[in-house]
Amino acid sequence: MELTFLGTSAGVPCKSRNVTAMVFNPMNNAAQYWLFDCGEGTQHQMLHTVFNPGKLNKIFITHLHGDHIFGLPGLLCSRSMAGNENPLTVYGPAGIRQFIEMALQLSGSWTGFPLEIVEITAGEVFCDEEFRVTAYPLTHPVECYGYRIEQHDRPGALDASRLKAEGITPGPLFQQLKRGESVMLDDGRMINGQDYLGPARKGKTLAIFGDTGPTSAALTLASGVDVMVHETTLEAAMAEKANSRGHSTTVQAAEVARAAGVGRLVITHFSSRYDDAGCEALLRECREIFPDTIAAKDFMTVQI
Ligand SMILES: [Zn+2]
Ligand SMILES: [Zn+2]
């Protein structure tokens, strides 16, 4: 499971950083990807990666500020013009439907693939056999959400070599045993898959914050996650300015990471006032409070 940053600049792009977007590759199998936010130029950034928009099947939008959504119409149209017919679902706050439909309609565009738009509220957004995604309301001038992505716990690995040693040959039977079911063998033996499974593997967890000032929801959203992605728009000394605009500082993000007991903090959404050295200074401020912090860069991939 991995997360690739396509844009890490706040508000406006700069030469080395585009505006916000992240590709979540849930299965490491390149069969499907999710996108979190879609700032202007996201489709251009994708061209420099292995990620093909045709394989995006979910887009989660944190809020409707332009630096998080202005890339959507172009991406959707290009995905359609490339002949992709795979369905795509866009999740986002109220207004995301109107934005997409208006942009497509006024530009005489359409999508040649099934497009579902889901306007979300706080709570569970999506759940299937592999993942659960929950939205938490944040503190920002417009309705804004952070997403918690939880992979369900998975059964332990099947001890195939022990099965083979006992004369049980690989086949469809193994799939049943993998699910922990009991099966009857041709020779009349009854075996229980549970006896051949290793310990259950704990699902991974990830918290992706949208833009936000300090908020009480942060601790629940990020509680115990393996990786927490949080904005640090400004440095610690500019807390008043940051918070008055619904943004956080380095120290505020790091304090959330520490209090929520996360594994790793990834900071992003840096004001364009900071060059690379400035972002390094932001990183140092975080590490003083939460040492296991890394600063995102465009095209950086984080393993989860
Ligand atoms: Zn922003
Ligand atoms: Zn914003």
Side-chain angles (χ1 to χ4, degrees):
M1 195 187 293
E2 59 187 30
L3 188 69
T4 298
F5 290 81
L6 298 179
T8 56
S9 184
V12 296
C14 50
K15 276 185 181 169
S16 59
R17 298 177 183 274
N18 197 43
V19 281
T20 301
M22 291 158 243
V23 177
F24 176 60
N25 186 1
M27 314 293 281
N28 282 0
N29 63 3
Q32 56 162 30
Y33 316 120
W34 300 354
L35 189 66
F36 285 86
D37 282 337
C38 188
E40 182 185 356
T42 295
Q43 63 167 323
H44 299 251
Q45 297 292 86
M46 287 185 80
L47 292 173
H48 300 288
T49 70
V50 297
F51 302 113
N52 170 352
K55 290 180 178 173
L56 277 178
N57 69 342
K58 294 185 192 308
I59 300 178
F60 297 88
I61 297 296
T62 61
H63 66 300
L64 301 189
H65 276 158
D67 58 321
H68 297 255
I69 64 166
F70 283 171
L72 266 178
L75 177 68
L76 296 177
C77 290
S78 298
R79 189 182 189 274
S80 184
M81 288 169 88
N84 290 296
E85 294 178 351
N86 302 328
L88 174 67
T89 306
V90 179
Y91 302 90
I96 190 68
R97 174 186 303 285
Q98 191 185 359
F99 171 73
I100 292 172
E101 290 181 350
M102 193 72 84
L104 294 179
Q105 186 193 330
L106 291 178
S107 60
S109 309
W110 65 89
T111 58
F113 54 84
L115 173 65
E116 189 184 2
I117 302 169
V118 180
E119 295 195 331
I120 64 162
T121 51
E124 185 176 286
V125 169
F126 159 78
C127 191
D128 68 3
E129 62 280 357
E130 189 77 21
F131 290 100
R132 177 169 188 256
V133 178
T134 316
Y136 290 81
L138 300 178
T139 300
H140 203 52
V142 299
E143 186 179 358
C144 182
Y145 294 95
Y147 292 101
R148 181 181 173 99
I149 301 103
E150 295 168 295
Q151 183 183 38
H152 303 309
D153 292 345
R154 290 155 299 155
L158 189 66
D159 191 346
S161 52
R162 208 180 114 213
L163 285 163
K164 280 183 214 157
E166 293 179 16
I168 304 159
T169 46
L173 195 73
F174 271 36
Q175 292 307 318
Q176 286 172 267
L177 294 172
K178 229 176 182 171
R179 292 193 294 266
E181 296 170 11
S182 291
V183 294
M184 169 89 78
L185 303 179
D186 290 342
D187 61 12
R189 272 187 293 164
M190 191 74 179
I191 59 166
N192 185 347
Q194 299 286 355
D195 299 335
Y196 295 86
L197 291 177
R201 289 168 292 176
K202 186 146 177 40
K204 303 280 180 64
T205 46
L206 169 68
I208 296 181
F209 282 73
D211 293 4
T212 190
T215 171
S216 57
L219 292 186
T220 328
L221 164 53
S223 176
V225 293
D226 295 298
V227 173
M228 163 178 151
V229 179
H230 198 290
E231 67 132 294
T232 51
T233 306
L234 291 170
E235 65 205 65
M238 298 176 74
E240 203 175 322
K241 184 173 181 188
N243 296 168
S244 71
R245 296 176 181 184
H247 291 296
S248 296
T249 67
T250 49
V251 165
Q252 289 166 340
E255 282 174 345
V256 170
R258 186 171 62 184
V262 310
R264 226 176 335 152
L265 167 63
V266 185
I267 55 172
T268 184
H269 198 271
F270 308 113
S271 164
S272 58
R273 68 168 59 222
Y274 301 113
D275 56 13
D276 284 351
C279 290
E280 282 298 315
L282 297 178
L283 178 60
R284 282 195 296 277
E285 288 189 344
C286 287
R287 283 183 171 167
E288 279 177 24
I289 292 160
F290 193 79
D292 208 349
T293 304
I294 48 179
K297 288 192 166 109
D298 287 22
F299 304 115
M300 187 182 88
T301 294
V302 175
Q303 299 296 330
I304 299 155

